[in-house]
Amino acid sequence: MLSEAEQALLSLLRSNARASTAELARRLGVSRTTVQSRIERLEQRGIISGYGVKLSADYEQGLVKAHVLLTVTPKLADKVVRALQALPPVRTLHSVSGNFDMIVIVDAPSIRDLDALLDQIGAMDGVERTSSSIILSTRIDR
């Protein structure tokens, strides 16, 4: 369980993982040493496992993004996961409950590229059925 202070620190880091300890300390109202020790503890506990790149809104706006719902053959699920991992346009893969087994978040530079990607995913060994929805806008992205 995270303390409120740790949650506040994580919220700031989600917004800007490159923020300096001085900036984080100022925004949290604590010392830089306190911020650094909290970050180190979160890393040691495995809560923070790494830092990534957040793409600019301008770049993201040029991409066509979609949710792809998959029904897969249970015995071939691992094979499907490995095949999806090999595709650079696959941003996220979730296992889910319900009528579908997985939700894949993908992006492509154009509708034509997205169409080809959807065909490629649908043709994978182990994929029984797909249903896709193009993401029109993202209202919240933390």
Side-chain angles (χ1 to χ4, degrees), residues 81-118:
V81 170
R82 285 191 304 276
L84 291 169
Q85 280 178 322
L87 296 177
V90 172
R91 301 271 301 270
T92 310
L93 174 61
H94 304 279
S95 287
V96 297
S97 62
N99 294 333
F100 290 89
D101 301 308
M102 298 177 185
I103 299 175
V104 187
I105 311 299
V106 298
D107 62 27
S110 69
I111 293 291
R112 179 177 305 194
D113 292 323
L114 177 62
D115 187 41
L117 176 62
L118 296 175

Side-chain angles (χ1 to χ4, degrees), residues 3-140:
S3 69
E4 284 186 35
E6 290 169 328
Q7 289 177 13
L9 175 57
L10 286 177
S11 178
L12 292 174
L13 288 170
R14 279 189 194 114
S15 295
N16 181 6
R18 291 182 51 118
S20 68
T21 17
E23 172 66 16
L24 294 168
R26 185 185 65 71
R27 296 197 53 199
L28 294 169
V30 298
S31 72
R32 289 185 312 224
T33 306
T34 299
V35 168
Q36 189 58 47
S37 66
R38 284 183 185 156
I39 290 173
E40 288 171 4
R41 274 197 315 270
L42 290 168
E43 289 172 342
Q44 289 169 355
R45 290 169 52 197
I47 293 168
I48 295 176
S49 63
Y51 300 87
V53 173
K54 186 170 182 175
L55 301 173
S56 75
D58 289 342
Y59 176 78
E60 291 261 336
Q61 204 167 26
L63 298 174
V64 180
K65 293 177 270 194
H67 290 176
V68 185
L69 305 169
L70 303 180
T71 302
V72 299
T73 306
K75 290 184 178 184
L76 296 175
D78 288 340
K79 185 176 183 177
V80 171
V81 170
R82 285 191 304 276
L84 291 169
Q85 280 178 322
L87 296 177
V90 172
R91 301 271 301 270
T92 310
L93 174 61
H94 304 279
S95 287
V96 297
S97 62
N99 294 333
F100 290 89
D101 301 308
M102 298 177 185
I103 299 175
V104 187
I105 311 299
V106 298
D107 62 27
S110 69
I111 293 291
R112 179 177 305 194
D113 292 323
L114 177 62
D115 187 41
L117 176 62
L118 296 175
D119 287 345
Q120 185 178 3
I121 291 171
M124 287 179 178
D125 192 26
V127 173
E128 295 176 355
R129 181 171 61 125
T130 67
S131 176
S132 59
S133 298
I134 292 177
I135 299 170
L136 300 176
S137 69
T138 300
R139 305 284 173 104
I140 298 174

